[in-house]
Amino acid sequence: MIPLSPEHAKQADLYVDRQHEHYQRMGQRLFETFNYDRNSGRINTQIRNLQQIVCSAPRFADIEDFVKNQMGRDTSSAKQWRQVGDGILKELQALRKRAAEYDDQELQLAFRLRLARGWVRAVVSEYLYRIALDQMEPSHV
């Protein structure tokens, strides 16, 4: 994979910044969907798994496949994934579409991955912020 030029990296970052409020809503939705351990404050492993795959995936399709796999599994968390999975896939599709503006396939891949990593940072940050707010509630003190 080719590294992004400073200009392309800047374009990706600007796009993520413009969408940040939208991404925060997804983080809030994840908080409402995926429980966390109120006693320890530990976040749901599904959120960490999402963050991990986005940050380590060599291909953008690996991220989309992860979400689809989680939605299709026969586990207790699959029900939660089905509640948010389509929304996540739509957001990923928007990132894919934004990157498709470039002709070079390697550039598209690098751009998509940078967008996805910015997206997941915003989403998980909001999720963690919601946990912090919940932990500060008097009923949890």
Side-chain angles (χ1 to χ4, degrees), residues 5-88:
S5 70
E7 182 57 33
H8 289 121
K10 178 179 160 187
Q11 290 303 312
D13 294 344
L14 287 171
Y15 179 83
V16 169
D17 280 351
R18 286 192 302 269
Q19 300 299 317
H20 198 262
E21 190 174 312
H22 177 72
Y23 299 159
Q24 287 177 316
R25 286 193 292 275
M26 177 54 74
Q28 182 172 349
R29 183 139 186 246
L30 292 178
F31 173 76
E32 293 165 356
T33 304
F34 290 100
N35 299 328
Y36 75 98
D37 184 340
R38 282 190 161 80
N39 294 324
S40 69
R42 288 184 48 189
I43 75 169
N44 191 293
T45 58
Q46 297 302 314
I47 302 303
R48 283 286 182 221
N49 291 344
L50 175 64
Q51 184 179 35
Q52 180 64 32
I53 192 70
V54 172
C55 292
S56 65
R59 297 176 326 116
F60 187 81
D62 292 338
I63 302 165
E64 295 166 316
D65 292 345
F66 170 81
V67 174
K68 292 174 185 177
N69 285 336
Q70 295 305 102
M71 292 173 69
R73 296 180 77 182
D74 188 21
T75 62
S76 59
S77 63
K79 181 180 178 184
Q80 295 166 313
W81 276 103
R82 290 180 196 125
Q83 292 175 30
V84 297
D86 282 337
I88 291 173

Coordinates of all heavy atoms in Angstrom, one line a residue, residues 5-88:
S5 N 0.0 11.0 0.5 CA 0.7 12.2 0.5 C 0.1 13.1 1.6 O -1.0 12.9 2.1 CB 0.5 12.9 -0.8 OG -0.8 13.4 -1.0
P6 N 0.9 14.1 2.1 CA 0.4 15.0 3.1 C -1.0 15.7 2.6 O -1.9 15.8 3.5 CB 1.5 16.1 3.3 CG 2.7 15.3 2.9 CD 2.3 14.4 1.8
E7 N -1.1 16.0 1.4 CA -2.3 16.6 0.9 C -3.5 15.6 1.0 O -4.6 16.0 1.4 CB -2.1 17.1 -0.6 CG -3.4 17.8 -1.1 CD -3.9 19.0 -0.3 OE1 -3.0 19.7 0.3 OE2 -5.1 19.2 -0.3
H8 N -3.3 14.4 0.6 CA -4.4 13.4 0.7 C -4.7 13.1 2.1 O -5.9 13.0 2.4 CB -4.0 12.1 -0.1 CG -4.0 12.2 -1.5 ND1 -2.8 12.0 -2.3 CD2 -4.9 12.6 -2.4 CE1 -3.1 12.2 -3.5 NE2 -4.3 12.6 -3.7
A9 N -3.7 13.0 3.0 CA -4.0 12.8 4.4 C -4.8 14.0 5.0 O -5.8 13.8 5.7 CB -2.7 12.7 5.2
K10 N -4.5 15.2 4.6 CA -5.2 16.4 5.0 C -6.7 16.3 4.5 O -7.6 16.6 5.3 CB -4.5 17.6 4.5 CG -5.2 18.9 4.8 CD -4.4 20.1 4.3 CE -5.2 21.3 4.1 NZ -4.5 22.4 3.5
Q11 N -6.9 15.9 3.3 CA -8.2 15.8 2.7 C -9.0 14.8 3.5 O -10.2 15.0 3.8 CB -8.2 15.4 1.2 CG -7.7 16.5 0.4 CD -8.5 17.8 0.5 OE1 -9.7 17.8 0.5 NE2 -7.8 18.9 0.7
A12 N -8.4 13.6 3.8 CA -9.1 12.6 4.6 C -9.5 13.1 6.0 O -10.6 13.0 6.5 CB -8.3 11.4 4.7
D13 N -8.5 13.8 6.6 CA -8.8 14.3 8.0 C -9.9 15.4 8.0 O -10.7 15.5 8.9 CB -7.5 14.9 8.6 CG -6.4 13.8 8.8 OD1 -6.8 12.6 8.8 OD2 -5.3 14.1 9.0
L14 N -9.9 16.3 7.0 CA -10.9 17.3 6.9 C -12.3 16.7 6.7 O -13.3 17.1 7.3 CB -10.6 18.2 5.7 CG -9.5 19.2 5.9 CD1 -9.1 19.9 4.6 CD2 -9.8 20.2 7.0
Y15 N -12.3 15.6 5.9 CA -13.6 14.9 5.7 C -14.1 14.3 7.1 O -15.3 14.5 7.4 CB -13.5 13.8 4.7 CG -14.7 13.0 4.5 CD1 -15.7 13.5 3.6 CD2 -15.0 11.8 5.1 CE1 -16.9 12.8 3.4 CE2 -16.2 11.1 5.0 CZ -17.1 11.6 4.1 OH -18.3 11.0 3.9
V16 N -13.2 13.7 7.8 CA -13.6 13.1 9.1 C -14.0 14.2 10.0 O -15.0 14.1 10.8 CB -12.4 12.3 9.7 CG1 -12.7 11.9 11.1 CG2 -12.2 11.0 8.9
D17 N -13.3 15.3 10.0 CA -13.7 16.5 10.9 C -15.1 17.0 10.6 O -15.9 17.3 11.5 CB -12.7 17.6 10.8 CG -11.5 17.4 11.7 OD1 -11.5 16.4 12.5 OD2 -10.5 18.1 11.5
R18 N -15.4 17.1 9.3 CA -16.7 17.5 8.9 C -17.9 16.6 9.3 O -19.0 17.0 9.5 CB -16.8 17.8 7.4 CG -16.0 19.0 6.9 CD -16.3 19.4 5.5 NE -16.0 18.3 4.5 CZ -14.8 18.2 3.9 NH1 -13.8 19.0 4.2 NH2 -14.6 17.2 3.1
Q19 N -17.5 15.3 9.3 CA -18.5 14.3 9.7 C -18.6 14.0 11.2 O -19.4 13.1 11.6 CB -18.2 13.0 8.9 CG -18.2 13.2 7.4 CD -19.6 13.6 6.9 OE1 -20.6 13.1 7.3 NE2 -19.6 14.5 6.0
H20 N -17.7 14.6 12.0 CA -17.5 14.2 13.4 C -18.8 14.2 14.2 O -19.1 13.2 14.9 CB -16.5 15.2 14.0 CG -16.0 14.6 15.3 ND1 -16.5 14.9 16.5 CD2 -15.0 13.7 15.5 CE1 -15.8 14.3 17.4 NE2 -14.9 13.5 16.9
E21 N -19.7 15.1 14.0 CA -21.0 15.1 14.7 C -21.8 13.9 14.4 O -22.4 13.3 15.2 CB -21.7 16.4 14.5 CG -22.9 16.6 15.3 CD -23.6 18.0 15.1 OE1 -22.9 19.0 15.1 OE2 -24.8 18.0 15.0
H22 N -21.8 13.6 13.1 CA -22.5 12.4 12.7 C -21.9 11.1 13.3 O -22.7 10.2 13.7 CB -22.5 12.3 11.1 CG -23.1 11.1 10.6 ND1 -24.5 10.9 10.5 CD2 -22.6 10.0 10.0 CE1 -24.7 9.7 10.0 NE2 -23.6 9.2 9.6
Y23 N -20.6 11.0 13.4 CA -20.0 9.9 13.9 C -20.2 9.8 15.4 O -20.3 8.7 16.0 CB -18.5 9.9 13.7 CG -18.1 9.9 12.2 CD1 -16.8 10.4 11.8 CD2 -19.0 9.5 11.2 CE1 -16.5 10.4 10.5 CE2 -18.6 9.4 9.9 CZ -17.4 9.9 9.5 OH -17.0 9.9 8.2
Q24 N -20.4 10.9 16.1 CA -20.7 10.9 17.5 C -22.0 10.3 17.7 O -22.2 9.6 18.7 CB -20.7 12.4 18.1 CG -19.3 12.9 18.2 CD -19.4 14.4 18.7 OE1 -20.2 15.2 18.2 NE2 -18.5 14.7 19.7
R25 N -23.0 10.5 16.8 CA -24.3 9.8 17.0 C -24.2 8.3 16.9 O -24.8 7.6 17.6 CB -25.3 10.4 15.9 CG -25.7 11.8 16.3 CD -26.9 12.2 15.4 NE -26.6 12.4 14.0 CZ -26.1 13.5 13.5 NH1 -25.9 14.5 14.2 NH2 -25.9 13.5 12.2
M26 N -23.3 7.8 16.1 CA -23.1 6.4 16.0 C -22.4 5.9 17.3 O -22.8 4.8 17.8 CB -22.2 6.0 14.8 CG -21.9 4.5 14.8 SD -23.3 3.4 14.8 CE -23.9 3.6 13.1
G27 N -21.5 6.7 17.9 CA -20.9 6.3 19.2 C -22.0 6.2 20.3 O -21.9 5.3 21.1
Q28 N -22.9 7.1 20.2 CA -24.0 7.1 21.2 C -24.9 5.9 21.0 O -25.3 5.2 21.9 CB -24.8 8.4 21.1 CG -25.9 8.4 22.2 CD -26.6 9.8 22.2 OE1 -26.2 10.8 21.6 NE2 -27.7 9.8 22.9
R29 N -25.1 5.6 19.7 CA -25.9 4.4 19.4 C -25.2 3.1 19.9 O -25.9 2.2 20.4 CB -26.2 4.4 17.9 CG -27.1 3.2 17.5 CD -28.1 3.6 16.5 NE -29.0 2.5 16.3 CZ -29.1 1.8 15.2 NH1 -28.4 2.2 14.2 NH2 -30.0 0.8 15.1
L30 N -23.9 3.1 19.7 CA -23.2 1.9 20.2 C -23.3 1.8 21.7 O -23.4 0.7 22.3 CB -21.7 1.9 19.7 CG -21.5 1.8 18.2 CD1 -20.0 1.9 17.9 CD2 -22.0 0.4 17.7
F31 N -23.2 2.9 22.4 CA -23.3 3.0 23.8 C -24.7 2.4 24.3 O -24.8 1.7 25.2 CB -23.1 4.4 24.4 CG -23.4 4.5 25.9 CD1 -22.5 4.0 26.8 CD2 -24.5 5.0 26.3 CE1 -22.7 4.1 28.2 CE2 -24.8 5.1 27.7 CZ -23.9 4.7 28.6
E32 N -25.7 2.8 23.6 CA -27.1 2.4 23.9 C -27.3 0.9 23.6 O -28.1 0.3 24.2 CB -28.1 3.2 23.1 CG -28.1 4.7 23.6 CD -28.8 5.6 22.6 OE1 -29.3 5.1 21.5 OE2 -29.0 6.8 22.9
T33 N -26.5 0.4 22.7 CA -26.7 -1.0 22.2 C -25.8 -2.0 22.9 O -26.2 -3.1 23.3 CB -26.4 -1.1 20.7 OG1 -27.3 -0.2 20.0 CG2 -26.7 -2.5 20.2
F34 N -24.5 -1.6 23.1 CA -23.5 -2.6 23.7 C -23.3 -2.2 25.2 O -22.8 -1.1 25.5 CB -22.2 -2.5 23.0 CG -22.3 -3.2 21.6 CD1 -22.4 -2.4 20.5 CD2 -22.3 -4.6 21.5 CE1 -22.5 -3.0 19.2 CE2 -22.3 -5.2 20.2 CZ -22.5 -4.4 19.1
N35 N -23.7 -3.0 26.1 CA -23.5 -2.8 27.5 C -22.0 -2.7 27.9 O -21.2 -3.2 27.2 CB -24.2 -3.9 28.3 CG -25.7 -4.0 28.0 OD1 -26.3 -2.9 27.8 ND2 -26.2 -5.2 28.1
Y36 N -21.8 -2.1 29.0 CA -20.4 -2.1 29.6 C -20.6 -2.6 31.0 O -21.7 -2.5 31.6 CB -19.7 -0.8 29.4 CG -20.3 0.3 30.4 CD1 -19.6 0.5 31.5 CD2 -21.4 1.0 30.1 CE1 -20.0 1.5 32.4 CE2 -21.9 1.9 31.0 CZ -21.2 2.2 32.1 OH -21.6 3.1 33.0
D37 N -19.5 -3.0 31.6 CA -19.5 -3.4 33.0 C -19.5 -2.1 33.9 O -18.5 -1.5 34.0 CB -18.3 -4.3 33.3 CG -18.3 -4.8 34.7 OD1 -19.0 -4.3 35.6 OD2 -17.6 -5.8 34.9
R38 N -20.7 -1.9 34.5 CA -20.8 -0.6 35.3 C -20.0 -0.7 36.5 O -19.6 0.4 37.1 CB -22.3 -0.4 35.6 CG -23.1 0.2 34.5 CD -24.5 0.6 34.9 NE -25.0 1.5 34.0 CZ -25.6 1.2 32.8 NH1 -25.7 -0.1 32.5 NH2 -26.1 2.1 32.0
N39 N -19.7 -1.8 37.1 CA -18.8 -1.9 38.3 C -17.4 -1.6 38.0 O -16.8 -0.8 38.8 CB -18.9 -3.3 38.9 CG -20.3 -3.6 39.4 OD1 -21.0 -2.7 39.9 ND2 -20.8 -4.8 39.2
S40 N -16.9 -2.0 36.9 CA -15.5 -1.8 36.6 C -15.3 -0.7 35.6 O -14.2 -0.1 35.5 CB -14.8 -3.1 36.1 OG -15.3 -3.4 34.8
G41 N -16.3 -0.4 34.8 CA -16.2 0.6 33.8 C -15.6 0.1 32.5 O -15.4 0.8 31.5
R42 N -15.4 -1.3 32.5 CA -14.8 -1.9 31.3 C -15.7 -1.9 30.1 O -16.9 -2.2 30.3 CB -14.4 -3.3 31.6 CG -13.2 -3.4 32.5 CD -12.7 -4.8 32.8 NE -12.6 -5.5 31.5 CZ -12.4 -6.8 31.4 NH1 -12.3 -7.5 32.5 NH2 -12.3 -7.4 30.2
I43 N -15.2 -1.5 29.0 CA -16.1 -1.5 27.8 C -16.4 -2.8 27.2 O -15.6 -3.8 27.5 CB -15.5 -0.5 26.7 CG1 -14.4 -1.1 26.0 CG2 -15.1 0.8 27.4 CD1 -14.0 -0.3 24.8
N44 N -17.4 -2.9 26.4 CA -17.8 -4.1 25.8 C -16.7 -4.6 24.8 O -16.1 -3.8 24.1 CB -19.1 -3.9 25.0 CG -19.7 -5.1 24.6 OD1 -19.2 -5.8 23.7 ND2 -20.9 -5.5 25.1
T45 N -16.4 -5.9 24.9 CA -15.3 -6.4 24.0 C -15.7 -6.2 22.5 O -14.7 -6.1 21.7 CB -15.0 -7.9 24.3 OG1 -16.2 -8.6 24.1 CG2 -14.5 -8.0 25.7
Q46 N -16.9 -6.1 22.2 CA -17.3 -6.0 20.8 C -16.8 -4.6 20.3 O -16.4 -4.5 19.1 CB -18.8 -6.1 20.6 CG -19.3 -7.5 20.9 CD -18.7 -8.6 20.1 OE1 -18.6 -8.4 18.9 NE2 -18.3 -9.6 20.8
I47 N -16.9 -3.6 21.1 CA -16.4 -2.3 20.7 C -14.9 -2.3 20.5 O -14.3 -1.8 19.5 CB -16.8 -1.2 21.7 CG1 -18.3 -1.2 21.9 CG2 -16.2 0.2 21.3 CD1 -19.1 -0.9 20.6
R48 N -14.2 -3.0 21.4 CA -12.7 -3.1 21.3 C -12.4 -3.9 20.0 O -11.4 -3.6 19.3 CB -12.1 -3.7 22.5 CG -12.0 -2.8 23.6 CD -10.8 -1.8 23.4 NE -10.7 -1.0 24.6 CZ -10.5 0.3 24.6 NH1 -10.4 0.9 23.5 NH2 -10.4 1.0 25.7
N49 N -13.2 -4.9 19.7 CA -12.9 -5.7 18.5 C -13.1 -4.9 17.3 O -12.3 -5.0 16.3 CB -13.8 -6.9 18.5 CG -13.5 -8.0 19.6 OD1 -12.4 -7.9 20.1 ND2 -14.5 -8.9 19.8
L50 N -14.1 -4.1 17.3 CA -14.4 -3.2 16.1 C -13.2 -2.2 15.9 O -12.6 -2.1 14.8 CB -15.7 -2.4 16.3 CG -16.0 -1.3 15.2 CD1 -16.2 -1.9 13.9 CD2 -17.2 -0.5 15.6
Q51 N -12.8 -1.6 17.0 CA -11.6 -0.7 17.0 C -10.4 -1.4 16.5 O -9.6 -0.9 15.7 CB -11.4 -0.1 18.4 CG -10.3 0.9 18.4 CD -10.2 1.5 19.8 OE1 -10.3 0.8 20.8 NE2 -9.9 2.8 19.9
Q52 N -10.2 -2.6 17.0 CA -9.0 -3.3 16.6 C -8.9 -3.7 15.1 O -7.9 -3.5 14.5 CB -8.9 -4.6 17.5 CG -7.7 -5.5 17.2 CD -6.4 -4.8 17.5 OE1 -6.3 -4.0 18.4 NE2 -5.3 -5.0 16.7
I53 N -10.1 -4.2 14.6 CA -10.1 -4.5 13.2 C -9.9 -3.3 12.3 O -9.2 -3.4 11.3 CB -11.4 -5.3 12.8 CG1 -11.2 -6.0 11.4 CG2 -12.6 -4.5 12.9 CD1 -10.2 -7.1 11.3
V54 N -10.5 -2.2 12.7 CA -10.4 -1.0 11.8 C -8.9 -0.5 11.9 O -8.4 -0.1 10.8 CB -11.3 0.1 12.3 CG1 -11.1 1.4 11.6 CG2 -12.8 -0.3 12.1
C55 N -8.3 -0.6 13.0 CA -6.9 -0.1 13.1 C -5.9 -1.0 12.5 O -4.8 -0.6 12.2 CB -6.6 0.3 14.6 SG -7.6 1.7 15.1
S56 N -6.2 -2.3 12.4 CA -5.2 -3.2 11.9 C -5.5 -3.8 10.5 O -4.6 -4.5 9.9 CB -5.1 -4.4 12.9 OG -6.3 -5.1 13.0
A57 N -6.7 -3.6 10.0 CA -7.1 -4.2 8.7 C -6.2 -3.8 7.6 O -6.0 -2.6 7.4 CB -8.5 -3.9 8.4
P58 N -5.7 -4.7 6.8 CA -4.9 -4.3 5.6 C -5.8 -3.9 4.4 O -5.3 -3.2 3.5 CB -4.1 -5.5 5.3 CG -4.9 -6.7 5.8 CD -5.6 -6.1 7.0
R59 N -7.0 -4.4 4.5 CA -8.0 -4.0 3.4 C -9.3 -3.5 4.0 O -9.7 -3.9 5.1 CB -8.4 -5.3 2.6 CG -7.3 -6.0 1.9 CD -7.7 -7.3 1.2 NE -8.7 -8.1 2.0 CZ -10.0 -8.3 1.5 NH1 -10.3 -7.8 0.3 NH2 -10.9 -9.0 2.2
F60 N -9.8 -2.5 3.4 CA -11.1 -1.9 3.9 C -12.2 -2.9 3.9 O -13.0 -2.9 4.8 CB -11.4 -0.7 2.9 CG -12.6 0.1 3.4 CD1 -12.4 1.1 4.4 CD2 -13.9 -0.1 2.9 CE1 -13.5 1.8 4.8 CE2 -14.9 0.7 3.3 CZ -14.7 1.6 4.3
A61 N -12.2 -3.8 2.9 CA -13.3 -4.9 2.9 C -13.2 -5.8 4.1 O -14.2 -6.3 4.5 CB -13.1 -5.7 1.6
D62 N -12.0 -5.9 4.8 CA -11.9 -6.7 6.0 C -12.8 -6.1 7.1 O -13.4 -6.8 7.9 CB -10.5 -6.7 6.5 CG -9.6 -7.5 5.6 OD1 -10.1 -8.4 4.8 OD2 -8.4 -7.3 5.7
I63 N -12.9 -4.8 7.1 CA -13.8 -4.1 8.1 C -15.2 -4.4 7.8 O -16.0 -4.7 8.8 CB -13.5 -2.6 8.1 CG1 -12.0 -2.3 8.4 CG2 -14.4 -1.9 9.1 CD1 -11.6 -0.9 8.0
E64 N -15.6 -4.2 6.6 CA -17.0 -4.5 6.2 C -17.4 -6.0 6.5 O -18.4 -6.3 7.1 CB -17.2 -4.2 4.8 CG -17.1 -2.7 4.4 CD -17.0 -2.4 3.0 OE1 -16.2 -3.1 2.3 OE2 -17.6 -1.5 2.5
D65 N -16.4 -6.9 6.2 CA -16.7 -8.3 6.4 C -16.8 -8.6 7.9 O -17.6 -9.4 8.3 CB -15.5 -9.1 5.8 CG -15.5 -9.1 4.3 OD1 -16.6 -8.7 3.7 OD2 -14.5 -9.5 3.7
F66 N -16.0 -7.9 8.7 CA -16.1 -8.1 10.2 C -17.5 -7.8 10.7 O -18.1 -8.6 11.4 CB -15.0 -7.3 10.9 CG -15.2 -7.2 12.4 CD1 -14.7 -8.3 13.2 CD2 -15.9 -6.2 13.0 CE1 -14.9 -8.2 14.5 CE2 -16.0 -6.1 14.4 CZ -15.6 -7.2 15.1
V67 N -18.0 -6.7 10.3 CA -19.3 -6.3 10.7 C -20.4 -7.3 10.2 O -21.2 -7.7 11.0 CB -19.7 -4.8 10.2 CG1 -21.1 -4.5 10.6 CG2 -18.7 -3.8 10.8
K68 N -20.3 -7.7 9.0 CA -21.3 -8.6 8.5 C -21.1 -10.0 9.2 O -22.2 -10.6 9.5 CB -21.0 -8.9 7.0 CG -21.4 -7.6 6.1 CD -21.0 -7.9 4.7 CE -21.2 -6.6 3.9 NZ -20.8 -6.8 2.5
N69 N -19.9 -10.4 9.5 CA -19.7 -11.7 10.2 C -20.3 -11.6 11.6 O -21.0 -12.5 12.1 CB -18.2 -12.0 10.3 CG -17.7 -12.5 9.0 OD1 -18.4 -13.0 8.2 ND2 -16.4 -12.4 8.8
Q70 N -20.1 -10.5 12.3 CA -20.7 -10.3 13.6 C -22.2 -10.3 13.6 O -22.8 -10.9 14.5 CB -20.2 -9.0 14.3 CG -18.7 -8.9 14.5 CD -18.2 -10.1 15.3 OE1 -17.6 -11.0 14.8 NE2 -18.4 -10.0 16.6
M71 N -22.8 -9.7 12.6 CA -24.2 -9.7 12.5 C -24.8 -11.1 12.2 O -25.9 -11.4 12.6 CB -24.6 -8.7 11.3 CG -24.4 -7.3 11.6 SD -24.7 -6.2 10.2 CE -26.5 -6.4 10.0
G72 N -24.0 -11.9 11.5 CA -24.5 -13.2 11.1 C -24.2 -14.4 12.0 O -24.7 -15.5 11.8
R73 N -23.5 -14.1 13.0 CA -23.1 -15.2 13.9 C -24.3 -15.6 14.8 O -25.3 -14.9 14.9 CB -21.9 -14.7 14.8 CG -20.7 -14.4 14.0 CD -19.6 -14.0 14.8 NE -19.0 -15.2 15.5 CZ -18.0 -15.1 16.3 NH1 -17.5 -14.0 16.6 NH2 -17.5 -16.2 16.8
D74 N -24.1 -16.7 15.4 CA -25.1 -17.3 16.3 C -24.6 -17.1 17.8 O -24.3 -18.1 18.4 CB -25.3 -18.8 16.0 CG -26.5 -19.3 16.7 OD1 -27.3 -18.6 17.2 OD2 -26.6 -20.6 16.9
T75 N -24.4 -15.9 18.2 CA -23.9 -15.6 19.5 C -24.8 -14.6 20.2 O -25.7 -14.0 19.6 CB -22.5 -15.0 19.4 OG1 -22.6 -13.7 18.7 CG2 -21.5 -15.9 18.7
S76 N -24.6 -14.4 21.5 CA -25.4 -13.4 22.2 C -25.2 -12.0 21.7 O -26.1 -11.2 21.7 CB -25.1 -13.5 23.7 OG -23.8 -13.2 23.9
S77 N -24.0 -11.7 21.2 CA -23.8 -10.3 20.7 C -24.3 -10.1 19.3 O -24.4 -8.9 18.9 CB -22.3 -10.0 20.8 OG -21.6 -10.9 19.9
A78 N -24.6 -11.1 18.6 CA -25.1 -11.0 17.2 C -26.4 -10.1 17.2 O -26.6 -9.3 16.3 CB -25.4 -12.3 16.6
K79 N -27.3 -10.3 18.2 CA -28.5 -9.5 18.2 C -28.2 -8.0 18.3 O -28.8 -7.2 17.6 CB -29.3 -9.9 19.4 CG -30.6 -9.1 19.5 CD -31.5 -9.6 20.7 CE -32.7 -8.8 20.8 NZ -33.5 -9.1 22.0
Q80 N -27.2 -7.6 19.1 CA -26.7 -6.3 19.3 C -26.1 -5.8 17.9 O -26.4 -4.6 17.5 CB -25.7 -6.1 20.4 CG -26.3 -6.4 21.7 CD -25.3 -6.6 22.8 OE1 -24.3 -7.3 22.6 NE2 -25.5 -6.0 24.0
W81 N -25.3 -6.6 17.3 CA -24.7 -6.2 16.0 C -25.8 -6.0 15.0 O -25.7 -5.1 14.1 CB -23.7 -7.3 15.6 CG -22.4 -7.1 16.2 CD1 -21.8 -7.8 17.2 CD2 -21.4 -6.1 15.8 NE1 -20.6 -7.3 17.5 CE2 -20.3 -6.3 16.7 CE3 -21.4 -5.1 14.9 CZ2 -19.2 -5.5 16.6 CZ3 -20.3 -4.3 14.8 CH2 -19.2 -4.5 15.7
R82 N -26.8 -6.8 15.0 CA -27.9 -6.6 14.0 C -28.6 -5.3 14.2 O -29.2 -4.7 13.3 CB -28.9 -7.7 14.1 CG -28.3 -9.0 13.6 CD -29.3 -10.2 13.7 NE -28.5 -11.4 13.5 CZ -28.5 -12.4 14.4 NH1 -29.3 -12.4 15.4 NH2 -27.8 -13.5 14.1
Q83 N -28.6 -4.7 15.4 CA -29.2 -3.4 15.7 C -28.4 -2.3 15.1 O -29.0 -1.3 14.8 CB -29.4 -3.2 17.2 CG -30.4 -4.2 17.9 CD -30.4 -4.0 19.4 OE1 -30.1 -2.9 19.9 NE2 -30.7 -5.1 20.1
V84 N -27.1 -2.4 15.1 CA -26.3 -1.3 14.6 C -25.5 -1.6 13.4 O -25.0 -0.7 12.7 CB -25.3 -0.9 15.7 CG1 -26.0 -0.4 17.0 CG2 -24.3 -2.1 16.1
G85 N -25.5 -2.8 12.9 CA -24.6 -3.2 11.8 C -25.0 -2.5 10.5 O -24.1 -2.1 9.8
D86 N -26.3 -2.4 10.2 CA -26.6 -1.8 8.9 C -26.2 -0.3 8.9 O -25.7 0.2 7.9 CB -28.1 -1.9 8.7 CG -28.5 -3.2 8.1 OD1 -27.7 -3.9 7.6 OD2 -29.7 -3.6 8.3
G87 N -26.3 0.4 10.1 CA -25.9 1.7 10.2 C -24.4 1.9 10.0 O -23.9 2.8 9.3
I88 N -23.6 1.0 10.6 CA -22.2 1.0 10.5 C -21.8 0.7 9.0 O -20.9 1.4 8.4 CB -21.5 -0.1 11.4 CG1 -21.7 0.3 12.8 CG2 -20.0 -0.3 11.0 CD1 -21.2 -0.7 13.8

